[in-house]
Amino acid sequence: MASPMRSLLADPDRYLQSFRLFLERSTEHQCMQEFVETQLPDVIASIGNGKSTINVLSVGGGAGEMDLQILSKLRARYPGVTINNDVVEPSADQISKYKERVAQTSNLENIKFTWHRETAYEYESRMNAEKKTKKWDFIHMIQMLYYVKDVPATIRYFHSLLESQAKLLIILVSGKSGWETLWKKYGSSFPLDDLCSYVSSADLPKMLDAAGLKYQLYELPSHMDITSCFIEGDKDGELLLDFLTETLDFAKTAPPELKRQLMEELRKPGCSETRDGKVFFNNNLGVIVIEP
């Protein structure tokens, strides 16, 4: 009998609801912000040397929270320089939130925003069709590689657009995170529908070495409070379970044995740690900075 389990991405509203709850319950953005504050200045230290204009490409820019922080570091490093910030983002909802955020933020003079409502693959296809090869000084892809069909080809394409001093920054879940444990064990039981692929920072060195690319790796510690997942019938807990498994209404539609095993797994050290009666899922991120 076919499983009634469906991909969470089949219901965009519930996906967004679960994603927002994930951001609320996790230190996802805080650990990225810390990276932007402490490590990013070194990464961008020479990308704009001698330039009057810096071209930045944000692939999967979402609602722009991290983009604006990155841009503030670029402005601090290269005062007075014009920054062209192009954003590739398929969600109209996210783009409109991004535009609202820009409208409410001061100190953005010298920054020109252009939004492209398309996926990374659609952007690449359009550029190829228009025979354009615009080069960029900084390209970043934050938490978006899960949504491309061919990860090595996507990285190769965007890497080919780098200027000689440029950098390509990728952030995704760490190979040492609970996500990696969960995906390796249960990924084949979740209804992915080809919409998403399980890729972590552990998968990238092989791809980058095969392509002969130079890179640096950073590990960002992060966690998420999943205590509510263990409270039967808790609405937030059910939403977080949906997010963890990419499954719509996992608590109600998963076969009982799968649910039992997964709930057990979530408490184990490979996925989480228990502190003061709370369960914290290991949400560590990996950052990869690739040289031209």
Side-chain angles (χ1 to χ4, degrees):
M1 192 182 112
S3 161
M5 289 165 72
R6 289 169 61 219
S7 168
L8 178 58
L9 293 165
D11 183 341
D13 287 343
R14 187 159 171 97
Y15 173 80
L16 219 52
Q17 229 186 321
S18 68
F19 175 62
R20 290 195 180 122
L21 184 63
F22 156 72
L23 287 181
E24 205 179 288
R25 294 285 170 89
S26 72
T27 58
E28 171 99 351
H29 274 172
Q30 293 88 318
C31 78
M32 285 190 208
Q33 283 159 358
E34 195 175 319
F35 175 82
V36 168
E37 285 298 320
T38 59
Q39 317 261 21
L40 189 70
D42 287 345
V43 172
I44 60 171
S46 57
I47 63 170
N49 284 354
K51 299 194 167 193
S52 57
T53 303
I54 294 174
N55 295 314
V56 178
L57 181 62
S58 162
V59 188
E65 297 102 320
M66 295 314 303
D67 285 23
L68 293 189
Q69 297 195 23
I70 288 169
L71 290 168
S72 80
K73 287 289 167 236
L74 280 164
R75 280 187 74 242
R77 174 66 184 84
Y78 302 102
V81 165
T82 300
I83 298 172
N84 292 324
N85 186 67
D86 278 40
V87 181
V88 173
E89 169 55 55
S91 160
D93 179 61
Q94 294 286 74
I95 287 176
S96 88
K97 288 198 168 53
Y98 197 140
K99 289 178 175 175
E100 279 168 31
R101 188 167 263 118
V102 166
Q104 291 159 7
T105 305
S106 55
N107 295 338
L108 294 179
E109 55 282 356
N110 298 356
I111 303 179
K112 181 171 167 281
F113 290 88
T114 310
W115 286 272
H116 307 275
R117 190 189 161 191
E118 54 195 354
T119 63
Y121 179 70
E122 286 163 351
Y123 174 84
E124 180 181 346
S125 304
R126 180 169 63 82
M127 287 296 155
N128 289 339
E130 294 171 7
K131 299 203 170 15
K132 282 186 183 163
T133 50
K134 182 173 165 87
K135 295 279 188 176
W136 301 91
D137 300 301
F138 189 53
I139 300 176
H140 57 85
M141 309 162 92
I142 297 176
Q143 293 288 46
M144 60 69 65
L145 275 180
Y146 322 108
Y147 307 106
V148 304
K149 283 273 188 284
D150 185 335
V151 174
T154 300
I155 293 174
R156 278 198 306 274
Y157 170 71
F158 285 102
H159 178 265
S160 75
L161 306 182
L162 293 177
E163 289 280 16
S164 59
Q165 295 286 315
K167 294 282 196 297
L168 168 59
L169 172 84
I170 295 172
I171 300 183
L172 73 173
V173 300
S174 162
K176 300 184 174 101
S177 69
W179 295 104
E180 176 84 347
T181 307
L182 217 50
W183 292 344
K184 279 218 162 39
K185 243 182 176 171
Y186 296 102
S188 58
S189 307
F190 301 150
L192 260 187
D193 292 356
D194 275 354
L195 290 167
C196 187
S197 62
Y198 295 132
V199 56
S200 76
S201 66
D203 302 307
L204 262 59
K206 290 191 289 284
M207 298 175 192
L208 301 175
D209 292 341
L213 301 180
K214 286 201 328 214
Y215 57 91
Q216 284 150 330
L217 285 169
Y218 304 81
E219 182 85 5
L220 309 185
S222 173
H223 61 259
M224 165 170 57
D225 184 347
I226 59 167
T227 314
S228 59
C229 292
F230 301 95
I231 302 167
E232 198 64 43
D234 185 283
K235 289 281 171 276
D236 283 352
E238 289 181 358
L239 261 181
L240 287 177
L241 271 179
D242 284 12
F243 192 77
L244 285 162
T245 60
E246 292 278 346
T247 302
L248 191 58
D249 287 323
F250 177 84
K252 296 185 176 76
T253 62
E257 185 53 19
L258 174 65
K259 185 180 170 186
R260 188 190 65 73
Q261 287 179 13
L262 183 104
M263 299 309 286
E264 255 177 42
E265 193 66 42
L266 279 175
R267 285 186 182 274
K268 289 181 185 170
C271 276
S272 305
E273 63 170 327
T274 305
R275 291 198 307 270
D276 304 327
K278 291 188 166 182
V279 185
F280 293 98
F281 182 77
N282 179 330
N283 185 57
N284 284 11
L285 299 176
V287 178
I288 298 95
V289 176
I290 307 174
E291 310 282 332

